Amino acid sequence: MLPFARVTIIGIGLIGSSIARATRAAMPSVALTGYDADPEVREIAERLDMFDDVASSSGAAVIDADLVILCVPVGAMEAAAREFAAELPAEAVVSDVGSCKAEVVRALASALPNATIVPAHPVAGTERSGPEAGFATLFHKRWCILTPPEGTDALAVERVAEFWRRLGAEIETMAPDHHDRVLAITSHLPHLIAYTIVGTASDMEEVTQSEVIKYSAGGFRDFTRIAASDPTMWRDVFLANREAVLDMLQRFSEDLSALQRAIRWGKGDELFDLFTKTRAVRRGIIEQGQDDPAPDFGRTHE
Amino acid sequence: MLPFARVTIIGIGLIGSSIARATRAAMPSVALTGYDADPEVREIAERLDMFDDVASSSGAAVIDADLVILCVPVGAMEAAAREFAAELPAEAVVSDVGSCKAEVVRALASALPNATIVPAHPVAGTERSGPEAGFATLFHKRWCILTPPEGTDALAVERVAEFWRRLGAEIETMAPDHHDRVLAITSHLPHLIAYTIVGTASDMEEVTQSEVIKYSAGGFRDFTRIAASDPTMWRDVFLANREAVLDMLQRFSEDLSALQRAIRWGKGDELFDLFTKTRAVRRGIIEQGQDDPAPDFGRTHE
């Protein structure tokens, strides 16, 4: 039995369009409805035939849904939810894919005070944005974290979990605050640092942009991928998860200062010890199937 | 006509073994000799049949070479060069593959005062180390930077350039100091930051190592690749290119503080502007063939 028969996706970007494609692939009998605030995106979604129906308003999109998934930037969640609140069926479950959860839990509870809400975060993505960037296998073997507030209907949580399992994801459940601290270090801080270093490299006066690009294979190019991620999405993440991000940033800055000092004073042993320890983390990631085991991320070398 | 007929490689790690394989593939008639200070590595090189001859001393390895390439960590260059100085033929050209050049130019000039030295840096690599990690296509379409000191014999420079062209590399020439500043931003600082954040994430008390690994697909895993690079090589790079690295680190820290402030005070526009600008750098890298155009570095999503 399918966990949901009528699924509506609000926001047809990388994640929304990937959920649509993955649902079509894994649960072809599900009736899929999509909506995006941008008429151009709706047109692309129609053309790519990702949904059974692309609605022209979010109210019309949710009117007979039993699962509604909000796939909009974190800062747009509350307004997007308010927009369809009056049309939402009483028995529908509402979920989302936001990268920070405490703020989203607050926003959705405020916009939909009587709805059953099961917040979710599939930890997956690429640097591409928009409806054409999605693909059906994006969530395979990736973790989807559910952060149901206390008192959430257990059956609704299990149905959302089962929905994500069918898309190929593994499920974990945790409190919204803990989620936000874990993701601050595994996702938000890495993006912040990548954006910063790419900015720093762009602003050099003595090293040209052309040199930065030419010699990027020395390591820099690894940072440019996540620094090419969607600007709106990431602005919202940093504003919504401000405290956890600032705390992680503080820890990172302290560690960087220690390393700076080790370089200044020529403490080779300290450098060597850290550089040895960090190899083990990569091994763990590869052993647990969270990255490509091939060297250089499996990039082609022809 | 081949630029060199008898090539000796001192140090059979990722780069040395890749040069050997690439030379075999591109110039099969070159007589290839290898040497490594570690007898176990020499044995592996014998078994993998990468060289015509694996010598048991570096003096024996260079005795009839017309090109000697030092492929040892930057901090080991001077001692490695001194070891074969007495056996080096007068007409041989000496080169290296070190990631910083001012210090290597000094070290080699001191160890080999009468030799023709053409320092080189192929900007290519993977996170793997050792003789089994090398492959013949590593240098294809990558830049090899030559940093001949003023007064270096122009013909020797051109022969080394031609050697690298045959291995598939593109050639650029610049002063050692400029090289060290360019690479500080495109390679050394990225490695330093990657090592730091992987260390920071390992040291969290409230977020477990297992959580860091599980949710690394949110961005963190991109950093773990270069933080798995060879610890000895990188310790030496930071010690040898100390001033340029500390300067770039200072710029990066200032930019990070500005971003930190923007987050603290909720300045979404500042964040959005930076996040938009950084996308252009990625586009440039892809347009110039310095990274995989496929999303997510072309990682497999099955």
Side-chain angles (χ1 to χ4, degrees):
Chain A
M1 231 195 78
L2 292 173
F4 297 98
R6 308 188 64 81
V7 174
T8 292
I9 289 165
I10 305 287
I12 313 175
L14 167 68
I15 301 297
S17 70
S18 292
I19 295 175
R21 290 166 206 267
T23 304
R24 269 278 171 84
M27 297 170 274
S29 62
V30 164
L32 262 177
T33 301
Y35 172 75
D36 196 284
D38 183 343
E40 214 174 295
V41 170
R42 295 202 297 269
E43 215 168 276
I44 296 169
E46 291 263 28
R47 180 159 46 75
L48 296 177
D49 195 28
M50 287 185 288
F51 297 96
D52 297 301
D53 182 39
V54 177
S56 56
S57 77
S58 67
V62 305
I63 205 151
D64 60 359
D66 52 11
L67 173 64
V68 176
I69 309 179
L70 284 149
C71 305
V72 300
V74 167
M77 289 281 177
E78 188 164 348
R82 278 190 203 287
E83 207 177 295
F84 63 68
E87 272 78 28
L88 185 72
E91 68 283 6
V93 173
V94 175
S95 188
D96 76 298
V97 297
S99 301
C100 29
K101 305 281 30 144
E103 166 57 19
V104 170
V105 165
R106 190 209 56 72
L108 294 186
S110 158
L112 308 167
N114 302 312
T116 303
I117 300 167
V118 181
H121 177 203
V123 184
T126 78
E127 68 277 26
R128 302 282 172 90
S129 314
E132 286 160 306
F135 53 97
T137 56
L138 180 61
F139 310 111
H140 282 194
K141 297 182 206 152
R142 296 283 89 88
W143 288 91
C144 183
I145 304 174
L146 306 184
T147 62
E150 257 182 76
T152 306
D153 176 53
L155 178 63
V157 175
E158 176 46 33
R159 286 168 74 200
V160 172
E162 179 58 19
F163 178 80
W164 279 103
R165 275 186 216 110
R166 302 257 185 136
L167 303 192
E170 314 231 33
I171 303 299
E172 191 60 82
T173 302
M174 60 179 77
D177 283 341
H178 186 63
H179 167 280
D180 288 357
R181 294 189 65 77
V182 171
L183 272 289
I185 187 72
T186 63
S187 178
H188 308 170
L189 184 62
H191 276 78
L192 189 69
I193 287 168
Y195 281 122
T196 305
I197 191 172
V198 176
T200 304
S202 308
D203 287 342
M204 307 275 297
E205 61 287 348
E206 52 176 333
V207 177
T208 66
Q209 184 93 335
S210 141
E211 286 175 319
V212 167
I213 288 170
K214 273 166 89 168
Y215 310 120
S216 61
F220 179 71
R221 62 179 182 163
D222 279 23
F223 291 72
T224 62
R225 187 187 78 79
I226 60 178
S229 301
D230 187 68
T232 305
M233 173 193 159
W234 283 99
R235 177 200 60 198
D236 286 4
V237 166
F238 295 123
L239 297 180
N241 198 22
R242 183 185 314 208
E243 285 188 27
V245 169
L246 290 175
D247 181 26
M248 298 304 162
L249 187 51
Q250 183 59 37
R251 288 159 188 258
F252 169 79
S253 296
E254 285 168 19
D255 292 347
L256 193 61
S257 294
L259 219 51
Q260 184 170 16
R261 200 165 182 283
I263 292 173
R264 195 179 300 283
W265 295 100
K267 298 192 171 174
D269 291 350
E270 275 182 34
L271 300 177
F272 186 85
D273 288 347
L274 172 65
F275 300 172
T276 305
K277 187 174 87 167
T278 49
R279 288 191 134 177
V281 178
R282 175 100 191 134
R283 268 198 303 276
I285 288 173
I286 288 170
E287 277 162 19
Q288 295 194 23
Q290 293 304 310
D291 207 346
D292 207 311
D296 209 10
F297 298 127
R299 281 174 175 126
T300 50
H301 292 267
E302 282 151 4
Chain B
M1 231 195 79
L2 292 173
F4 298 98
R6 308 188 65 80
V7 174
T8 291
I9 289 165
I10 305 287
I12 312 174
L14 167 69
I15 302 297
S17 71
S18 291
I19 295 175
R21 290 166 205 267
T23 304
R24 269 278 171 86
M27 296 170 274
S29 63
V30 164
L32 263 177
T33 302
Y35 172 75
D36 195 284
D38 182 342
E40 215 173 297
V41 170
R42 295 203 296 270
E43 215 168 275
I44 296 169
E46 291 264 27
R47 180 157 46 76
L48 296 176
D49 193 29
M50 286 185 290
F51 297 96
D52 298 300
D53 183 39
V54 177
S56 57
S57 77
S58 69
V62 304
I63 205 149
D64 59 359
D66 52 12
L67 173 65
V68 176
I69 309 179
L70 284 149
C71 304
V72 301
V74 167
M77 289 281 178
E78 186 163 349
R82 278 193 204 285
E83 206 178 295
F84 63 68
E87 272 80 26
L88 186 73
E91 68 283 6
V93 173
V94 175
S95 189
D96 76 298
V97 296
S99 301
C100 30
K101 304 279 34 141
E103 166 58 18
V104 170
V105 166
R106 189 209 56 73
L108 295 185
S110 159
L112 308 167
N114 302 313
T116 303
I117 299 166
V118 181
H121 177 202
V123 184
T126 79
E127 68 278 25
R128 301 281 172 90
S129 314
E132 287 161 304
F135 53 98
T137 56
L138 179 62
F139 310 111
H140 283 194
K141 298 181 206 152
R142 295 283 89 89
W143 289 90
C144 182
I145 305 174
L146 306 184
T147 62
E150 257 182 77
T152 306
D153 177 52
L155 179 61
V157 175
E158 176 47 32
R159 286 168 74 199
V160 172
E162 180 59 17
F163 178 80
W164 279 103
R165 274 186 217 111
R166 302 258 185 137
L167 304 192
E170 315 232 31
I171 304 298
E172 191 61 81
T173 302
M174 60 179 78
D177 283 340
H178 186 63
H179 167 279
D180 288 355
R181 294 190 64 77
V182 171
L183 271 289
I185 186 72
T186 63
S187 177
H188 307 170
L189 183 62
H191 276 78
L192 189 67
I193 286 168
Y195 280 123
T196 305
I197 190 171
V198 176
T200 304
S202 309
D203 287 342
M204 307 276 296
E205 59 288 350
E206 51 174 335
V207 177
T208 65
Q209 184 93 334
S210 142
E211 286 176 318
V212 166
I213 289 170
K214 272 166 91 169
Y215 310 120
S216 60
F220 179 70
R221 62 178 182 164
D222 279 23
F223 291 72
T224 62
R225 187 187 79 78
I226 60 179
S229 301
D230 188 69
T232 305
M233 171 191 161
W234 283 99
R235 177 199 60 198
D236 286 4
V237 166
F238 295 122
L239 297 180
N241 198 21
R242 183 184 315 209
E243 285 189 27
V245 169
L246 290 176
D247 181 25
M248 298 303 163
L249 187 50
Q250 184 59 36
R251 288 159 188 258
F252 170 79
S253 296
E254 285 168 20
D255 292 347
L256 194 60
S257 295
L259 220 50
Q260 184 170 16
R261 199 165 183 283
I263 293 173
R264 195 179 298 285
W265 295 99
K267 298 192 171 174
D269 291 351
E270 274 183 35
L271 300 176
F272 186 85
D273 288 348
L274 171 66
F275 301 171
T276 305
K277 188 174 87 170
T278 49
R279 288 190 134 176
V281 178
R282 175 98 192 138
R283 267 198 304 276
I285 288 173
I286 288 171
E287 278 162 19
Q288 294 192 24
Q290 294 303 309
D291 206 347
D292 207 312
D296 210 9
F297 298 127
R299 281 175 175 125
T300 50
H301 292 268
E302 281 151 8

